[in-house]
Structure formats: C-alpha cells, structure tokens
Amino acid sequence: MVAGNGLLYPILGFASCIVFIYMSFGDLRVNYHKEPDLPFVTRNGTQFMVNNKVWYVNGWNSYWLMDHAVHDYSRPRVGAMLQAGAKMGLTVCRTWAFNDGGYNALQISPGQYDERVFKALDYAIAEARQHGIRLLLSLVNNLQAYGGKTQYVKWAWQEGVGLSSSNDSFFFDPSIRKFFKNYVVTVLTRKNTITGIEYRNDPTIFAWELINEPRCMSDPSGDTLQDWIDEMSAYVKSIDKYHLVTVGLEGFYGPKNSKRLTVNPEAWASALGSDFIRNSGTENIDFASVHIYPDHWFHDRDFEDNLKFVSKWMLSHIEDGDIELRKPVMFTEFGLSNLNEDFEPSQRDRLYKTILDIIVKSAKRNKSGAGALVWQYFVGGMEEYNDDFGVVPWEKTSTYKLIIEESCRLARINGMTQEKGKLKQLCSQKQ
C-alpha cells in the first residue's frame, strides 16, 4: 500500500492535537546527547540478533515521517508518533527515505537534492534514535506516489537517454540504473546534520528496503526484476557493511513455483514478474519481506475466509524461511480497509490478533517469523494523509491493548531479553 502526496497542510486544530499528544505522552522535547544506545541488528540464520541475543519486531508503518519533518508546523508530529510507538513497546518503524520529484522532493532531479528535505530525513532518524526506535528505510517506490520508478523513467526520457517510456524500464535501462545507484550512494553516505553520523554507520537504521512492492509485469518470467535485485543489493552491500537489506516484496510466488497454485491469492499474482523464493534467496538479501492484504487481493471472499487465508499465507512464508531460504521473514505491511462493504471496526482487531499470534507462535518455536509491521499509524489531526487502512492506535482501547500485549509477549520470549527500561515497566503493569 502507499498513500499519495498531501498538498495541503491544515493548521487549524493542529495545536489542540499537539496538546493532546503532549498530555498523553509527555514532554516532546529531545536531547540528542542522551539518546539510548542502539547496537546494530544482525542476522543468525532465520533470526534477527541484537547483542548476540534473538530479537523480534513489533512495529508499524508511518511512511510520512520525512515529509512532515520538512515544515516547522508539522514537524512535532514526527516526534509525537515515534514517542507514542516507544510507549507502546514498538521497536521498528518503516518509512520512506525517498521523494522523487514533485512537492517536498528530496531528489529534485537526478543527482540534485533539496538540502531542506535531507535535513528533514536527518531529523526523523535523530528522533527515532532519541526514542529507541529503529527505522526500516525504503529507497524507492514501485508505485507513482512520491515519484517512484515512473519519475526515474520520466527523467531519463527528458534527458534523451531513456530506452523506453515503459515504467518497467526502471529495472533494465542502464541510465536509470545509474540514476538510482547515484541516489543510493548519496543516501547511504549522508552525514546526519544533527547526530553527525553517516547513515551507513547509524544503528538507528534497522535495514534498507530496495523498493516498495516491486512488480515488472513486462517480464513475467521474473528475470528482469531478479537481475535488478542482484545488482542493487550487491551495490548497497558494497557501500554499507553494517545494515541488513531486504527487497520489499508483496510475497507472491512466481510462475515456476508450485505454491502459485495453492497459496497465491489468484492466478494474476504469479504474472507480476516477481517471485518470493527466487527474489528473497539472493545472496545479499538478508531477510524476506511479505505484505498481507487479502481484502484487496480477493474480490469474492468475506472476512472469515480472508482470515483463513491470512493464516495459510503466513505459515507458508514462515515455512519457506525455515526450509528454503534459511532467513528471517518479516511481514512488513498488513492492514484492513474500512471501505469494505462488510467492514466492522472489530474486524481490524481480529486481523491484527491473528497475525500477531502467528508471529508469537513462530518465535516460541524458534521459527523464521521475525515480526510484523501494521500499515499504518498516524497521530491525530492528519486525516488528509490517511488512507482506508490508517489508525490512531491510542484512540481505540482494544487496539492499543492488543499492540502493547504483543510487545510484551515478544519481549518475554527467550528469557525477557528484549525487556529494558520503560518496556519492562510497561509489561509489568496489568493491561
């Protein structure tokens, strides 16, 4: 999923939103000299590790952190969201480290950057560090929102070096590959103007995601996308020796995988030019990524049937992580649309619980299910940036308790190795 650019920033009512966040979550001021120590996350087989101890992820998506850090009046939302996430025991936030062309663009044109927006990304990373949250940073969008591969193709066409006007030329055009590599090296070697740490040396960054939901439908064999993944993952690793790398896949099985017939939602899912096993098996990909949107993938199933699919979908990919890939599997987006004809608010909690229960069971059995990230969380007063999946978690008591319960359940696995400080205090309280 992805939300589009918001062009209007309503100010009326925002002050009351910030007062609410302040009252609910405490002082929003930061002191970057007192941030918690965050070691790098590493991988050992099918599990993430922190300080040589197994580490599981309970987290969320807030794609908008950099965008809202640009302006003074919207910047407090960033700290408020990260502080709220920390108070719920969450450990990772996935967000965009790109905005190509258009409003508040980080990359204005190939190799040209807006320092004002880069400083906004600096701020988001520094704030995350302050609150003990790690970031999964995505580097480009397969979709058009915030530029995406479409913008790269336009740039190549405008400069007279593009081979094709097809959006999929992003994956095979040498000039566009060069554009993207230049962007990657610029981001990875960026020195944060607040912390003084280069991004590639900052453990606040949990991992790099190559591209959000890649599809290359012009080549359903998958060869074109696979070649791009091989090249770009190796390139990231040549620059950054410390961080993990993932692709950003939806998780569909390709045309040569037998699971396309038994696990994929429908026949179209095997013709997108991607393949979960092949793409995730690349040497320089450290963990697999999967999304969960049954209500968008099926057109004739009710909620109960979708819940059954979710369990089957997750267990299949965890099995792949254990047996085929020998890597952790993260479910980096999941959600439920409130536009479904049969939607009821309680369904979201049921979907969340189904997914989070499977992660806990996998963790207890030392399997590859390494965590899950809700799509998506906001603070109050951001309705124009919301889509049909977004929630303000503390506005619904049952959802808020469910999230905290998951944080505590994961923290208690392996002898409470994840529980420290506020999380330990949080989990000791009765919910």
Side-chain angles (χ1 to χ4, degrees):
M1 286 295 134
V2 65
N5 298 59
L7 298 181
L8 297 176
Y9 294 85
I11 300 177
L12 292 177
F14 180 62
S16 60
C17 164
I18 295 302
V19 169
F20 168 77
I21 295 296
Y22 182 92
M23 295 292 290
S24 300
F25 297 103
D27 194 349
L28 298 178
R29 292 172 299 177
V30 295
N31 183 341
Y32 295 109
H33 300 289
K34 296 182 179 180
E35 69 269 3
D37 179 33
L38 288 178
F40 283 97
V41 179
T42 60
R43 175 176 74 91
N44 182 14
T46 62
Q47 295 175 318
F48 294 132
M49 309 291 289
V50 171
N51 286 332
N52 295 316
K53 296 178 180 178
V54 178
W55 184 77
Y56 298 101
V57 174
N58 187 27
W60 82 100
N61 286 266
S62 286
Y63 74 90
W64 46 268
L65 297 185
M66 179 180 72
D67 191 36
H68 281 251
V70 173
H71 299 289
D72 291 342
Y73 63 81
S74 57
R75 192 172 301 125
R77 294 168 176 166
V78 177
M81 183 70 257
L82 291 165
Q83 186 176 31
K87 286 182 175 292
M88 291 184 287
L90 303 181
T91 51
V92 170
C93 175
R94 177 172 174 260
T95 193
W96 296 166
F98 62 84
N99 190 356
D100 302 305
Y103 182 73
N104 274 349
L106 173 56
Q107 187 174 204
I108 303 168
S109 60
Q112 300 298 314
Y113 305 94
D114 187 334
E115 178 64 15
R116 176 182 60 105
V117 182
F118 238 140
K119 286 182 176 179
L121 184 55
D122 292 344
Y123 179 84
I125 294 171
E127 280 285 326
R129 183 180 182 89
Q130 171 70 20
H131 296 295
I133 299 292
R134 292 178 172 87
L135 299 178
L136 172 55
L137 296 181
S138 188
L139 294 169
V140 70
N141 204 354
N142 186 75
L143 307 176
Q144 291 188 24
Y146 290 84
K149 65 181 186 183
T150 299
Q151 183 62 65
Y152 278 88
V153 174
K154 287 180 179 178
W155 282 333
W157 203 248
Q158 290 166 358
E159 295 191 10
V161 297
L163 295 178
S164 168
S165 60
S166 166
N167 285 347
D168 285 348
S169 65
F170 173 83
F171 296 114
F172 62 78
D173 188 317
S175 297
I176 297 175
R177 287 193 183 200
K178 184 177 180 180
F179 289 166
F180 183 64
K181 282 185 172 180
N182 286 342
Y183 180 72
V184 168
V185 70
T186 300
V187 172
L188 270 58
T189 59
R190 165 77 176 184
K191 186 175 182 179
N192 193 308
T193 56
I194 298 173
T195 66
I197 305 171
E198 286 190 1
Y199 289 7
R200 62 180 171 179
N201 296 325
D202 192 344
T204 310
I205 298 170
F206 160 60
W208 301 108
E209 179 181 275
L210 296 180
I211 180 171
N212 175 53
E213 298 187 342
R215 297 182 179 186
C216 186
M217 296 175 67
S218 62
D219 181 10
S221 75
D223 292 344
T224 299
L225 179 58
Q226 183 61 41
D227 182 64
W228 184 89
I229 292 170
D230 288 341
E231 181 176 344
M232 297 307 166
S233 60
Y235 186 67
V236 170
K237 288 289 189 178
S238 72
I239 300 167
D240 184 341
K241 306 296 184 183
Y242 298 112
H243 288 106
L244 303 175
V245 176
T246 193
V247 178
L249 297 167
E250 295 163 278
F252 302 125
Y253 296 99
K256 296 181 180 180
N257 193 306
S258 61
K259 283 190 174 183
R260 76 188 190 281
L261 301 173
T262 58
V263 183
N264 272 359
E266 292 177 351
W268 55 263
S270 65
L272 304 176
S274 63
D275 179 78
F276 174 71
I277 297 296
R278 185 182 181 192
N279 301 154
S280 303
T282 301
E283 178 184 2
N284 290 301
I285 296 300
D286 296 294
F287 65 94
S289 46
V290 186
H291 293 180
I292 309 174
Y293 292 110
D295 53 335
H296 272 208
W297 295 342
F298 292 104
H299 304 290
D300 59 352
R301 291 196 178 194
D302 61 20
F303 177 73
E304 298 301 329
D305 287 337
N306 282 340
L307 271 189
K308 293 176 183 177
F309 170 80
V310 167
S311 295
K312 180 179 180 180
W313 180 252
M314 292 185 68
L315 293 174
S316 174
H317 287 82
I318 290 172
E319 177 185 68
D320 295 333
D322 292 330
I323 299 172
E324 296 284 340
L325 299 172
R326 297 298 303 159
K327 297 178 181 181
V329 176
M330 265 192 70
F331 299 89
T332 51
E333 287 189 26
F334 68 90
L336 184 70
S337 171
N338 61 13
L339 299 181
N340 297 330
E341 290 184 2
D342 64 343
F343 177 78
E344 297 177 5
S346 62
Q347 292 175 345
R348 276 210 176 118
D349 283 353
R350 290 185 62 197
L351 175 72
Y352 289 6
K353 190 174 190 308
T354 296
I355 292 168
L356 299 177
D357 283 350
I358 291 174
I359 294 298
V360 168
K361 289 178 181 178
S362 175
K364 287 182 176 179
R365 297 169 183 171
N366 292 317
K367 300 296 185 180
S368 65
L373 310 177
V374 177
W375 181 276
Q376 58 178 323
Y377 289 163
F378 293 93
V379 297
M382 294 183 63
E383 287 74 15
E384 81 277 19
Y385 297 94
N386 201 348
D387 55 16
D388 44 315
F389 294 86
V391 297
V392 179
W394 50 88
E395 289 185 349
K396 187 178 179 185
T397 302
S398 59
T399 301
Y400 188 70
K401 287 184 176 181
L402 185 65
I403 296 164
I404 292 175
E405 180 183 271
E406 175 72 356
S407 296
C408 295
R409 288 196 297 172
L410 290 176
R412 292 188 178 104
I413 294 172
N414 293 326
M416 309 287 279
T417 55
Q418 287 192 190
E419 284 200 2
K420 291 183 178 180
K422 293 181 180 179
L423 181 58
K424 187 172 183 178
Q425 181 180 4
L426 177 71
C427 296
S428 66
Q429 299 170 356
K430 291 184 178 181
Q431 300 302 324

